Each structure stands twice: as C-alpha cells, then as structure tokens.
C-alpha cells in the first residue's frame, strides 16, 4: 500500500489512524485473552497427576470380637498415579500447537483491524471528496440558474430554460446536502473504530496517490497469515492424534500405606497397584475421530491455498484496473471534461450555446469527477484487501515471545 504523504499537524493520516485503532479494540482484546488462555492451558498440560491421601478403618462396629474398636484396622497411605504411554508429552505438544494457533489468531485480528481501519479511512476520504464535487456542482447549478433567469428577462431564452435550470439547481443542492451527511457518517464510523473523534482533515495527498505501472508481481501464498492459520490447524490435529494414541495405554496407580491393628497395636505395610482394564473403551474410537479431524484439517489447508491464491490474483487485478481508471479519469479525461464545461458556460452566457449543450457538458464533468473519486476509493480498498491477504505470518521466534 502506498505510504502516506507528509501532512499538516491537524491532518489525520492513515498511519495515525492505524496506530490509534488498537488502543481499545474488542477484537484485539479477545485475541489477547485467547493467548493468555492458551498459555495457561500449556502450563496445565505440563502438570503431573496429583497424589492421593487414603485413609480407611476396617472391622468397626461389628459383633463379637469386632464390637467397638477393639479389632479395628486403620490404614493410612498415599496413592500416586503414573501416566504411561507418553500422555504428558502428548498433552504438552497439543497445548503448544493450540498456543501457536492462538498467537496466529492474534496476528490475524491485528491484520483484520488494519484492513477495517484502512477501508473506513478510504470511505471517509471518498465521501468528503464526493461531497466536495457535488458541492461544486450545486454552486455551478446555482450560477447556471442565475444566467438562465437573466436570459429569460432580456428575452434571449424561453421560460422553460429557467424552469429547467431551477430543477437542476434544487436537485444539485439536495445531492450536495446528502453527500455532506454521508461524509459526516463516514467520519463517525471511522471515529468509532479508532476510539477518538475525527476532527482534523484527512490526508488528501495520500488519497490522490496511485501506485506504479506495469503488471503485478506474482505473490506466493506460502508464509501468509491465511496459510499459517490452516497449517496451525493441521499441526493441532496431528497433536490430537498423538494424544488419542497415548490415551490407549492405561495408567497405573501405585499406593503405599501403613496399617495399624488395634488388637495387637502392631503396624504393617500395605502396597497396592491398580491397573484399569480397557474393556468397554479401548481408545480406538477416539483415535479414529482424531484421524478424521486431521483429514479434514488437511483438506481445509489445501482449500485455503486455492482460495488465497485466487483472492490474491483477484485483488491484484482490481488494484491494476482501479489504478488505470483513476489515471484516465483523473488525468486527460478530467481535464477535457473541465475544459468542455468551461467553454459551454462561457458560450451559454454569451448566447452561443443552447442550454442542452451546457447541461450535457456539466453532467459529463460531474460524472467524470465522481468516477475519479470512485476509482481512487476502489484502488485503495483493493490495496487494503491485497495487503491483508499478503500479510506475512509471524516467525517462530516472534511467536515464542
């Protein structure tokens, strides 16, 4: 995207709007919270199972020799679950993959916000230019109405010309007022996105700037945010398969306790081992589910490559087309239309041209000016979308910070 040109101190440039946009954005706050949650989940995944304190009393409250506590046996011990099958490393790998995905999602949120701010800025700048063009047309229409009135009064034209000029003057005023309200609404939308009122001027020089010539250079999708997110999903699915496989290995719980026999006041050691039997749930269904999700993630990754490549090509074509249109309408086309309208006004005032010729020249000038503004807006909008599509993904060292 072209860089903003130097502007006065009271001008809100695009760079300033982008810098202010992240101050209180809900999307960035959500992405930051997602990273914090994934970081906490990574810590949880590395924790080992908690040991258990076990206590039980047997042979209590029976009959005969077991009446009361005379023959009671009290056992106090500790049980420690032992994870087998690489469950803990698998959990950590999955948590790391999800943390990476959350960090990429944060970068995506930043890129999306930059695109939204740029588009709102373009809309506000274009709306102000349209209001300016239609305001000029309203002034011209008012002057044409005055000239038509003078010509009618001196008998140089029929009253129908005055009526036609009045209708055009009223329509031009209504259009100018409507464009002014649209410009104010566009400023309000931009202010809501950057979190501060837009009171200064917008960067007119930046809006008028169009990029270079020549065919666009090919852009590869590798390394872009869109592909990085799809790759992160595939890595998460691979880690999920590893977790599912590790869960097929049963864990062992080892317990060590001391038993006190009330009748003889003796103490004995108790050692136990508990191993679950995977009879009803052997983990195969969970592995099958994880593999299916991996297949889905790989397919979505391949689809993301195709969609991103097509979107980049389309955006490049739109940028080139809008730039060509802006150069044509804003250069010789606008100059010719302005000169034709100037000659038509002079000729109509001197009685050399009729009103139809004047109206046709004014309409052509107005349409050319608006087409120029529309082309500039389309160019900058396509540039913003292309920049978003080609935003590079964070490098691994930046993700680890």
């Amino acid at each position: 995207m072209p860089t903003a040109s130097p502007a006065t101190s009271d001008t809100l440039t695009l760079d300033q709007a982008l810098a202010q946009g992240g101050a209180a954005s809900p999307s960035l706050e959500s992405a930051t919270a997602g990273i914090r949650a994934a970081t906490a989940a990574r810590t949880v995944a590395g924790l080992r199972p908690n040991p258990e304190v076990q206590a039980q009393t047997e042979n209590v409250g029976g009959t005969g020799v077991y009446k009361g506590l005379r023959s009671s046996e009290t056992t106090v011990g500790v049980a420690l679950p032992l994870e087998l099958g690489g469950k803990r490393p698998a959990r950590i790998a999955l948590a790391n993959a999800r943390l990476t995905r959350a960090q990429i999602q944060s970068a995506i949120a930043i890129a999306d916000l930059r695109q939204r701010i740029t588009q709102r800025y373009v809309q506000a700048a274009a709306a102000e230019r349209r209001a300016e063009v239609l305001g000029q047309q309203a002034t011209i229409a008012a002057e044409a109405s005055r000239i038509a009135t003078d010509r009618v009064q001196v008998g140089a034209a029929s009253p129908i010309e005055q009526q036609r000029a009045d209708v055009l003057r009223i329509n031009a005023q209504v259009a100018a007022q409507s464009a002014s309200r649209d410009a104010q609404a566009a400023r309000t939308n931009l202010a809501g996105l950057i979190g501060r009122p837009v009171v200064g001027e917008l960067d007119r020089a930046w809006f008028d700037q169009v990029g270079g010539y020549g065919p666009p250079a090919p852009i590869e999708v590798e390394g872009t945010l869109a592909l990085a997110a799809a790759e992160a999903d595939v890595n998460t699915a691979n880690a999920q398969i590893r977790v599912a496989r590790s869960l097929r290995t049963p864990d062992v719980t080892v317990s060590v306790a001391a038993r006190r026999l009330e009748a003889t006041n003796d103490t004995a050691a108790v050692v136990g081992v508990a191993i679950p039997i995977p009879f009803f749930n052997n983990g195969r269904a969970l592995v099958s589910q994880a593999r299916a999700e991996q297949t889905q993630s790989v397919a979505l990754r391949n689809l993301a490559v195709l969609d991103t490549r097509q979107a980049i090509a389309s955006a490049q074509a739109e940028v080139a087309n809008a730039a060509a249109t802006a150069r044509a309408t804003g250069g010789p086309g606008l100059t010719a239309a302005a000169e034709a309208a100037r000659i038509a006004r002079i000729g109509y005032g001197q009685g050399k041209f009729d009103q139809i010729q004047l109206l046709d020249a004014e309409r052509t000038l107005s349409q050319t000016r608006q087409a120029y503004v529309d082309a500039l807006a389309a160019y900058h909008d396509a540039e913003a979308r292309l920049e978003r599509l080609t935003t590079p993904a964070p490098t691994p060292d930046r993700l680890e910070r």
Side-chain angles (χ1 to χ4, degrees):
M1 180 178 296
T3 57
S5 301
T8 59
S9 58
D10 59 344
T11 299
L12 177 65
T13 64
L14 176 60
D15 291 337
Q16 292 172 344
L18 291 173
Q20 297 166 3
S25 172
S27 61
L28 297 188
E29 184 178 358
S30 173
T32 302
I35 292 179
R36 292 199 302 267
T39 302
R42 166 62 178 80
T43 302
V44 173
L47 300 178
R48 300 181 183 277
N50 292 322
E52 297 179 358
V53 176
Q54 300 176 343
Q56 64 180 6
T57 300
E58 302 177 10
N59 303 330
V60 177
T63 61
V65 296
Y66 298 108
K67 186 177 182 180
L69 301 177
R70 289 177 300 177
S71 300
S72 64
E73 298 179 1
T74 301
T75 304
V76 178
V78 177
L80 180 63
L82 300 179
E83 291 185 312
L84 303 179
K87 293 183 178 62
R88 182 169 171 268
R91 286 199 311 269
I92 294 175
L94 177 59
N96 286 334
R98 288 175 174 171
L99 176 58
T100 300
R101 183 62 175 87
Q103 292 169 333
I104 293 175
Q105 187 60 41
S106 177
I108 290 175
I110 295 174
D112 288 342
L113 180 61
R114 288 180 60 88
Q115 179 184 356
R116 290 182 60 196
I117 293 176
T118 302
Q119 290 177 327
R120 291 291 184 271
Y121 191 94
V122 170
Q123 292 172 3
E128 289 193 352
R129 292 291 294 274
R130 293 189 187 98
E132 178 183 333
V133 169
L134 293 176
Q136 293 174 352
Q137 290 304 122
T139 302
I140 293 172
E143 179 63 17
S145 177
R146 185 192 64 78
I147 294 176
T149 300
D150 293 342
R151 286 171 55 85
V152 170
Q153 289 177 353
V154 299
S158 64
I160 190 65
E161 289 192 10
Q162 181 181 356
Q163 296 298 325
R164 185 186 294 117
D166 286 340
V167 170
L168 294 177
R169 174 182 58 82
I170 294 172
N171 291 338
Q173 290 177 349
V174 172
Q177 294 171 358
S178 177
S180 179
R181 288 189 291 269
D182 291 340
Q184 185 59 42
R187 275 180 169 258
T188 301
N189 293 335
L190 177 60
L193 201 56
I194 65 177
R196 55 154 286 187
V198 182
V199 295
E201 297 180 355
L202 300 180
D203 195 347
R204 187 187 185 98
W206 173 84
F207 187 74
D208 291 339
Q209 186 176 355
V210 178
Y213 297 83
I219 300 176
E220 294 297 332
V221 300
E222 285 74 13
T224 61
L225 271 179
L227 186 57
E231 289 286 357
D233 291 336
V234 172
N235 294 335
T236 301
N238 293 336
Q240 189 65 56
I241 291 179
R242 181 179 174 183
V243 170
R245 287 174 175 170
S246 69
L247 292 177
R248 296 196 63 187
T249 302
D251 294 336
V252 175
T253 301
V254 179
S255 59
V256 178
R259 176 173 295 178
R260 180 177 180 275
L261 290 78
E262 187 68 24
T264 61
N265 201 25
D266 292 329
T267 302
V270 179
V271 179
V273 177
I275 302 176
I277 302 176
F279 185 76
F280 298 105
N281 182 9
N282 57 13
R284 291 182 180 177
L286 185 60
V287 173
S288 298
Q289 176 187 351
R291 286 176 176 172
E293 291 175 352
Q294 180 200 39
T295 302
Q296 182 185 34
S297 298
V298 172
L300 291 176
R301 190 267 313 275
N302 296 336
L303 181 61
V305 172
L306 296 177
D307 290 344
T308 304
R309 185 176 288 118
Q310 293 175 1
I312 290 175
S314 299
Q316 285 182 313
E318 292 177 14
V319 168
N321 293 337
T325 303
R327 294 189 189 99
T329 56
L334 184 58
T335 301
E339 181 64 15
R342 186 187 68 84
I343 295 174
R345 292 188 206 108
I346 297 175
Y348 178 70
Q350 296 176 354
K352 297 180 180 179
F353 297 146
D354 58 26
Q355 192 183 41
I356 299 300
Q357 292 174 311
L358 173 64
L359 296 178
D360 183 67
E362 295 290 4
R363 181 172 57 253
T364 300
L365 175 59
S366 178
Q367 291 175 349
T368 303
R369 285 175 172 171
Q370 295 188 54
Y372 177 50
V373 175
D374 292 342
L376 289 174
Y379 169 77
H380 289 297
D381 184 81
E383 276 275 281
R385 288 185 283 111
L386 181 60
E387 182 184 29
R388 167 61 184 87
L389 290 169
T390 58
T391 299
T395 56
D397 58 334
R398 289 177 57 190
L399 289 176
E400 293 174 357
R401 295 175 183 175

